[in-house]
Amino acid sequence: MPVLLAPDQAPTLHELLAEANTVGLDCKPVDTRNESVPRIQGLGSLTSAGSTEISFLSNPKLRNQLDGCAAAAVIMTDADYQSLEARDHSYCIVLCSQPYLMYALLAQWFDQRRVSRLETGIHPTAIIAPTAHVADGVSIGPYCVIEEGVRIGQGSRLGAHCVIGTNVVLGNDCLLHARVTLYHNVTVGDRAILHSGSVFGADGFGFAPDPHNAAGAWAKIAQIGGVILGNDVEIGANTTVDRGALENTVVGNGVKLDNQIMIGHNVKIGDHTAMAACVGVAGSTIIGQRCTIAGAAMLSGHLVLGDDVHVSGGTAVTSNISTPGRYTGVYPFAEHSQWQRNAAVLSQLAQLRRRLRAVEKTHSNQ
Amino acid sequence: MPVLLAPDQAPTLHELLAEANTVGLDCKPVDTRNESVPRIQGLGSLTSAGSTEISFLSNPKLRNQLDGCAAAAVIMTDADYQSLEARDHSYCIVLCSQPYLMYALLAQWFDQRRVSRLETGIHPTAIIAPTAHVADGVSIGPYCVIEEGVRIGQGSRLGAHCVIGTNVVLGNDCLLHARVTLYHNVTVGDRAILHSGSVFGADGFGFAPDPHNAAGAWAKIAQIGGVILGNDVEIGANTTVDRGALENTVVGNGVKLDNQIMIGHNVKIGDHTAMAACVGVAGSTIIGQRCTIAGAAMLSGHLVLGDDVHVSGGTAVTSNISTPGRYTGVYPFAEHSQWQRNAAVLSQLAQLRRRLRAVEKTHSNQ
Amino acid sequence: MPVLLAPDQAPTLHELLAEANTVGLDCKPVDTRNESVPRIQGLGSLTSAGSTEISFLSNPKLRNQLDGCAAAAVIMTDADYQSLEARDHSYCIVLCSQPYLMYALLAQWFDQRRVSRLETGIHPTAIIAPTAHVADGVSIGPYCVIEEGVRIGQGSRLGAHCVIGTNVVLGNDCLLHARVTLYHNVTVGDRAILHSGSVFGADGFGFAPDPHNAAGAWAKIAQIGGVILGNDVEIGANTTVDRGALENTVVGNGVKLDNQIMIGHNVKIGDHTAMAACVGVAGSTIIGQRCTIAGAAMLSGHLVLGDDVHVSGGTAVTSNISTPGRYTGVYPFAEHSQWQRNAAVLSQLAQLRRRLRAVEKTHSNQ
């Protein structure tokens, strides 16, 4: 962790666990070899945590990293603890049935210390239209522009240079990092986290052929729908979610989108679906709940994916998927000259099959 | 349509059709069952339009959606109208040979009502260099920065936070949404629409090996060309068009680029070509007129694509295409374990062909 | 070259070569047919350079372009010069063993003329926190926001609208174009060039399953690592480099990243590695030195690529690569109906191999 709390601001282990464990996980120190567990100044991996930091073991395959671990305390499951047997260790052990979730909670706790030191309030350079309604406790950074009819819920924080278009509704406790753009008539639920450079409500890509103008010319279809983001959504840097053509583009509750993702107009994404970076979803596609779409996957338009569908990285999904499961379609890479040989045959596959059939026929006739 | 016009601002059906139909389409109400067609407050799909909205049928496959349609009026072709026969309907019918284009015109009309209410003029926080020339009727949003030597044509509108570099020329009636960046010496024609986060004129990716510095080091090739966008261009959110190395990167008239597209240096794109989101075009590639490049397709550098070439989504184009037509190259996705089996064989294709040849040879020798 | 120097600001050929050749290349005029070589106002390609511009021949395949070349002077190797023989030419010849590198140096020289005319100093609208330290000779553009604890080294220039988060360290002589965002605790070396829309230090994509909340719900793993960029790094427009989960995401010295690239959390990129546009690198992957990753390639997470690995465009790298060389994996595109036929067989490849084996077995039994 690049930044450690100062010693006088660091909690004791018990204080830390009590404050961070907001979801009531089972989590208790069991083996405090060292009576004086130091105050916990930070959080680190097993290999990097120092003697005033807490660490965690969430993957049994990494048990061997416990050997040289210099952390003050390590969170692990009972099974991992048993595996330690009599092995020597200097760290205190914290038993928890879900060390990875506990790690997430601890990281939130430490990050919150940093966030709480940030300035709050409305910066004097923010431009807020007279008809905008900004609730109590909202922070608005320098050079933000809040247009007419906007509503911002309590506790929300906007970084520098955000532009919030007319009639946007932003829920409570949202965090917009610097330089987020919301076009007009976008609605965002509570606790959204929107990263820098993300754009919501740009026009969907809709054009009608317009031969009256010129051969091949296109007439713009003005996009008069909106965008609705649910609660607990997080959207990565430079991701774009286009507005609907006539109705709304909808991102469900708890959806997590990584960086540089493109969501086309009229798309609907079900609750708790997560997408890794560089995914593209073309217009009007409907994605179910609890799906995962791995990095750089591409979904064609007007498709329907059911719930619990998992698409592998780089896969082009070109037809509906109704059955839960994992789906893949990526060309296996190889050393270049080997690829050349195989790829050359690939373009003759249909012919190859015909030749095989011919051979098979000869056989069956023999 | 999320926002409806107030009843007293809504046009009659005849007023609406007359005002929206700016290209002289054949378009007339033929079957106003209801003497008192209400004023038209909005535009919606067949399944969502309410009793004060107009809708359209552009795809005969959706004829069954006419059954429950609650719209005030529906635009359709004569053929679709005849198919209705005696079927009961409450909506007025508007005959038009091109319902989809008429829909585009209506959407433009409604969106224009929203746009016309926006503030105009030059915001006092916009910083405009003394040598910049801003024509009459130009709107410039808060915190825009207009550098030396810029020229902005009449009727153009810039959203908040646009940065317009030195010596940029922007035509008439352009619309730059919030947070568009034009580097120095970029030229834009008339009626361009540039979406938020798009960047024009960043340096092309050019480096020369510089072994004098270190093994593997690169010397920057300063990019001293520019970017030229034609008339009637629309560019999506977070799309980037790099400046040329020595000459210009050129985007033709009527070209439409979706979001998150990357156009490399020295690329030339012919008139009326359209590209869907996440496409990448590497440096110095030349693309003809009226091409369509579907989402996430990738074009290698230094290629030439002729006119009327259509590239399917996700396709990697690695050599020239001179014949009009549709081109595709995407790995067909499948359930993961099936993909694993097939992909494993794929890397032995050349060997497979050799084995087939051996079998064939045995046959021909028998 | 779109912009030429005014005649009275243009250098003589000897002056230009002396000033531009900062790395001590062998480079001398040998054949000044024309006693009065004009002053050199600009730099152009062989086919476009005019009579007051200098050009270069770096690829022997383009020798035929020398025929109609109208440039004032042409840089070429001795071998290319010898190939000219008695051919007539009006341009002066400059011999150089590395014309492409000399071109890079000349382009830098001309671009520097443009840059040197830009305004410098700290714009009065820049907001600089009291605890930020800005060295001498730093330029900060309009509406920049520099937060608490930032340090900016001497000679660095920030375009309009940059946002520099708390405790960022920026080295000497960096160039940030307009609208670059650095989140808190990002460190940048000397001479970095960061293009518009790039974002450094947004949260990595990390979530732990949180069934306490809802089925399929995710708990955010706060990203408390940082980002470190080395010296001489260039990063393209709208590229994003995420902060580490616990430790740092690291971009080595001399690394060049094109536009719209996504670097996930905890990634390490070795010195002098270059990536073309639209590449995605998933979290925790380690890439060696002097690698090249061509456009739209995708690297899965938690991989290790050694030094001198070259990945072709569009290739999905899904496993470690330890041997230097070129690696490829892209589906060969074809006319659509041909692709359809071959792709259909592709999904039966495993079956095809079984059938071939059966035929082979019959043979061996005969």
Side-chain angles (χ1 to χ4, degrees):
Chain A
M1 185 186 179
V3 182
L4 294 176
L5 295 181
D8 61 335
Q9 295 177 332
T12 66
L13 179 62
H14 284 88
E15 286 168 355
L16 174 62
L17 295 176
E19 291 184 20
N21 186 4
T22 53
V23 306
L25 284 182
D26 62 296
C27 183
K28 63 165 198 271
V30 291
D31 186 2
T32 51
R33 303 201 149 211
N34 189 332
E35 272 305 299
S36 58
V37 178
R39 288 177 175 268
I40 308 294
Q41 294 179 268
L43 169 66
S45 68
L46 290 172
T47 56
S48 72
S51 62
T52 60
E53 294 178 89
I54 188 167
S55 188
F56 63 98
L57 172 64
S58 62
N59 182 347
K61 289 182 187 166
L62 301 179
R63 276 178 189 170
N64 66 323
Q65 292 187 353
L66 288 171
D67 283 342
C69 181
V74 176
I75 301 162
M76 62 182 74
T77 62
D78 192 55
D80 285 323
Y81 178 47
Q82 300 304 331
S83 79
L84 276 177
E85 295 175 352
R87 234 187 304 181
D88 197 36
H89 59 89
S90 61
Y91 43 81
C92 166
I93 284 167
V94 179
L95 286 190
C96 179
S97 61
Q98 292 176 273
Y100 198 60
L101 180 52
M102 191 62 211
Y103 153 50
L105 298 171
L106 287 168
Q108 287 177 18
W109 189 91
F110 277 103
D111 198 51
Q112 190 53 40
R113 298 289 86 67
R114 179 188 61 78
V115 170
S116 64
R117 289 193 300 266
L118 298 179
E119 277 187 67
T120 55
I122 295 175
H123 196 275
T125 61
I127 297 176
I128 302 177
T131 58
H133 179 266
V134 176
D136 294 342
V138 166
S139 288
I140 300 184
Y143 300 127
C144 284
V145 176
I146 315 290
E147 299 186 348
E148 299 289 348
V150 168
R151 301 183 66 85
I152 302 181
Q154 59 191 23
S156 286
R157 287 175 289 142
L158 280 65
H161 287 223
C162 290
V163 178
I164 313 295
T166 52
N167 299 321
V168 164
V169 177
L170 201 60
N172 299 333
D173 299 312
C174 291
L175 169 59
L176 276 61
H177 287 274
R179 200 156 64 74
V180 170
T181 304
L182 281 68
Y183 280 51
H184 61 94
N185 292 95
V186 170
T187 296
V188 181
D190 296 335
R191 296 174 300 281
I193 300 176
L194 311 181
H195 282 280
S196 197
S198 56
V199 178
F200 302 87
D203 287 346
F205 198 62
F207 299 91
D210 185 9
H212 303 263
N213 183 339
W218 301 99
K220 180 176 177 66
I221 298 174
Q223 304 289 300
I224 60 180
V227 173
I228 296 180
L229 305 184
N231 296 323
D232 299 300
V233 161
E234 179 161 355
I235 311 278
N238 284 354
T239 282
T240 54
V241 181
D242 274 358
R243 67 189 319 110
L246 287 168
E247 301 168 35
N248 292 311
T249 304
V250 179
V251 176
N253 295 317
V255 167
K256 312 296 182 187
L257 304 184
D258 198 355
N259 295 7
Q260 310 237 25
I261 288 173
M262 162 59 183
I263 304 296
H265 57 178
N266 314 321
V267 167
K268 320 275 184 212
I269 304 177
D271 293 354
H272 306 303
T273 283
M275 300 190 191
C278 305
V279 164
V281 182
S284 302
T285 282
I286 297 173
I287 301 172
Q289 298 188 13
R290 298 175 303 278
C291 295
T292 59
I293 316 289
M298 304 150 271
L299 280 61
S300 296
H302 296 275
L303 300 183
V304 178
L305 273 66
D307 296 338
D308 301 297
V309 166
H310 305 283
V311 176
S312 300
T315 295
V317 178
T318 52
S319 58
N320 294 344
I321 301 179
S322 55
T323 309
R326 184 176 174 199
Y327 296 85
T328 307
V330 67
Y331 198 104
F333 83 101
E335 190 279 324
H336 183 71
S337 60
Q338 188 194 342
W339 169 80
Q340 277 183 306
R341 283 192 298 272
N342 289 317
V345 183
L346 183 63
S347 51
Q348 307 165 351
L349 266 189
Q351 186 203 16
L352 212 66
R353 184 170 61 176
R354 277 197 303 277
R355 285 163 53 185
L356 179 58
R357 276 185 189 149
V359 173
E360 288 173 331
K361 201 170 174 188
T362 318
H363 273 258
S364 61
N365 289 346
Q366 287 179 325
Chain B
M1 185 183 179
V3 182
L4 294 177
L5 295 181
D8 62 335
Q9 295 177 331
T12 65
L13 179 62
H14 283 88
E15 285 168 353
L16 173 62
L17 295 176
E19 291 184 21
N21 186 4
T22 53
V23 304
L25 284 181
D26 62 294
C27 183
K28 65 165 199 267
V30 290
D31 187 1
T32 51
R33 301 203 150 209
N34 189 331
E35 273 303 300
S36 58
V37 179
R39 287 176 176 269
I40 308 293
Q41 293 179 269
L43 170 66
S45 68
L46 289 171
T47 55
S48 72
S51 62
T52 61
E53 292 177 90
I54 188 167
S55 189
F56 64 98
L57 172 65
S58 61
N59 182 347
K61 290 183 187 164
L62 301 180
R63 275 179 188 167
N64 66 323
Q65 292 186 354
L66 288 172
D67 284 342
C69 179
V74 176
I75 301 162
M76 63 182 75
T77 63
D78 193 56
D80 285 323
Y81 178 47
Q82 299 304 331
S83 79
L84 275 177
E85 294 174 352
R87 236 186 304 180
D88 197 37
H89 59 89
S90 61
Y91 44 81
C92 165
I93 283 166
V94 180
L95 286 190
C96 179
S97 62
Q98 293 175 273
Y100 197 61
L101 181 52
M102 192 61 212
Y103 152 51
L105 297 171
L106 287 167
Q108 287 177 19
W109 189 92
F110 278 102
D111 198 50
Q112 190 51 41
R113 299 289 87 64
R114 178 188 61 80
V115 169
S116 63
R117 289 193 300 266
L118 299 179
E119 276 186 68
T120 56
I122 295 175
H123 196 275
T125 61
I127 296 176
I128 301 177
T131 59
H133 179 265
V134 176
D136 293 342
V138 166
S139 289
I140 300 183
Y143 299 126
C144 284
V145 176
I146 316 290
E147 299 186 349
E148 298 290 348
V150 168
R151 299 184 66 85
I152 303 182
Q154 58 191 24
S156 286
R157 287 175 289 142
L158 281 64
H161 287 224
C162 290
V163 178
I164 312 296
T166 52
N167 299 321
V168 164
V169 176
L170 202 60
N172 300 332
D173 299 313
C174 292
L175 169 60
L176 277 60
H177 288 273
R179 199 157 63 76
V180 170
T181 303
L182 281 69
Y183 280 52
H184 60 96
N185 293 93
V186 171
T187 296
V188 181
D190 297 334
R191 295 173 301 280
I193 300 175
L194 310 181
H195 283 279
S196 197
S198 56
V199 178
F200 302 86
D203 287 346
F205 198 62
F207 299 91
D210 185 7
H212 304 262
N213 183 339
W218 302 99
K220 179 175 178 68
I221 298 174
Q223 305 288 301
I224 60 180
V227 173
I228 297 181
L229 306 184
N231 296 322
D232 300 300
V233 161
E234 180 161 354
I235 312 278
N238 285 355
T239 282
T240 55
V241 182
D242 274 359
R243 66 190 317 109
L246 287 168
E247 299 168 35
N248 292 311
T249 304
V250 179
V251 176
N253 295 317
V255 168
K256 313 296 182 185
L257 304 184
D258 198 356
N259 294 7
Q260 309 235 26
I261 287 173
M262 163 58 183
I263 305 296
H265 58 176
N266 315 321
V267 166
K268 318 277 182 210
I269 305 177
D271 293 354
H272 307 304
T273 283
M275 300 189 191
C278 305
V279 164
V281 182
S284 302
T285 282
I286 297 174
I287 302 173
Q289 298 189 14
R290 297 175 304 278
C291 295
T292 58
I293 315 289
M298 304 151 272
L299 280 61
S300 296
H302 296 274
L303 300 183
V304 177
L305 273 68
D307 296 337
D308 301 298
V309 165
H310 304 283
V311 176
S312 300
T315 296
V317 178
T318 52
S319 58
N320 293 344
I321 301 178
S322 54
T323 309
R326 184 176 174 198
Y327 296 84
T328 308
V330 67
Y331 198 104
F333 82 100
E335 191 278 323
H336 183 70
S337 60
Q338 187 194 343
W339 169 80
Q340 277 183 307
R341 283 191 298 273
N342 290 316
V345 183
L346 183 62
S347 51
Q348 307 166 349
L349 265 190
Q351 186 202 18
L352 213 66
R353 185 169 59 175
R354 277 197 302 276
R355 285 163 52 185
L356 179 57
R357 276 184 190 149
V359 173
E360 288 173 330
K361 203 171 171 188
T362 318
H363 273 258
S364 61
N365 289 346
Q366 287 180 326
Chain C
M1 187 184 179
V3 182
L4 294 176
L5 295 180
D8 61 335
Q9 295 176 331
T12 66
L13 179 61
H14 283 89
E15 286 168 354
L16 174 62
L17 295 176
E19 291 184 20
N21 186 4
T22 53
V23 305
L25 284 181
D26 61 296
C27 183
K28 64 166 198 268
V30 291
D31 188 2
T32 52
R33 301 200 152 214
N34 190 331
E35 273 303 299
S36 58
V37 179
R39 288 175 176 270
I40 308 293
Q41 294 179 268
L43 171 64
S45 67
L46 289 171
T47 55
S48 73
S51 62
T52 61
E53 293 178 88
I54 188 167
S55 189
F56 64 98
L57 172 65
S58 62
N59 182 347
K61 289 184 188 164
L62 301 179
R63 276 179 188 168
N64 66 323
Q65 292 186 353
L66 288 172
D67 283 343
C69 180
V74 175
I75 301 162
M76 63 182 74
T77 63
D78 192 56
D80 285 323
Y81 177 47
Q82 300 302 333
S83 78
L84 276 177
E85 296 176 352
R87 237 186 303 182
D88 197 39
H89 59 90
S90 60
Y91 44 81
C92 167
I93 283 166
V94 180
L95 286 189
C96 179
S97 62
Q98 292 176 273
Y100 198 60
L101 180 52
M102 191 62 213
Y103 152 51
L105 297 172
L106 287 168
Q108 287 177 19
W109 189 92
F110 277 104
D111 197 50
Q112 190 52 40
R113 298 290 87 66
R114 178 188 62 78
V115 170
S116 64
R117 289 193 300 266
L118 298 179
E119 276 187 67
T120 55
I122 295 175
H123 196 275
T125 60
I127 296 175
I128 302 177
T131 59
H133 179 266
V134 176
D136 294 341
V138 166
S139 288
I140 300 184
Y143 299 128
C144 284
V145 176
I146 316 290
E147 299 185 350
E148 298 290 348
V150 168
R151 299 184 67 84
I152 303 182
Q154 58 190 25
S156 286
R157 288 175 287 144
L158 281 65
H161 287 223
C162 289
V163 179
I164 313 296
T166 52
N167 299 321
V168 163
V169 177
L170 202 60
N172 300 332
D173 299 312
C174 292
L175 169 58
L176 277 62
H177 287 274
R179 199 157 64 74
V180 170
T181 304
L182 281 68
Y183 280 52
H184 61 96
N185 292 94
V186 171
T187 296
V188 181
D190 296 334
R191 297 174 300 280
I193 300 176
L194 310 181
H195 283 280
S196 197
S198 55
V199 178
F200 302 86
D203 287 346
F205 198 62
F207 299 92
D210 185 8
H212 304 261
N213 183 338
W218 301 99
K220 179 176 178 66
I221 297 174
Q223 304 288 299
I224 59 181
V227 173
I228 296 181
L229 306 185
N231 296 322
D232 300 299
V233 161
E234 179 160 354
I235 311 277
N238 284 355
T239 282
T240 54
V241 181
D242 275 359
R243 66 188 320 108
L246 287 168
E247 300 168 34
N248 292 312
T249 304
V250 179
V251 176
N253 295 317
V255 167
K256 313 296 181 185
L257 304 184
D258 198 356
N259 294 7
Q260 309 236 25
I261 288 174
M262 162 59 182
I263 305 296
H265 57 177
N266 315 321
V267 166
K268 319 275 185 214
I269 304 177
D271 292 355
H272 307 304
T273 283
M275 300 189 190
C278 305
V279 164
V281 182
S284 301
T285 282
I286 297 174
I287 301 172
Q289 297 188 14
R290 298 175 304 277
C291 295
T292 58
I293 315 288
M298 304 151 271
L299 280 60
S300 297
H302 296 274
L303 301 183
V304 178
L305 273 67
D307 296 338
D308 301 297
V309 166
H310 304 283
V311 176
S312 300
T315 295
V317 178
T318 52
S319 58
N320 293 345
I321 301 179
S322 55
T323 308
R326 185 176 174 198
Y327 296 85
T328 308
V330 67
Y331 198 103
F333 82 100
E335 191 278 324
H336 184 70
S337 60
Q338 188 195 340
W339 169 81
Q340 278 184 307
R341 284 191 298 272
N342 290 317
V345 183
L346 183 62
S347 51
Q348 307 165 350
L349 265 190
Q351 185 201 18
L352 213 66
R353 184 170 59 174
R354 277 198 302 276
R355 285 164 54 186
L356 179 58
R357 276 184 190 150
V359 172
E360 287 173 330
K361 202 171 172 187
T362 318
H363 273 257
S364 61
N365 290 345
Q366 285 181 327

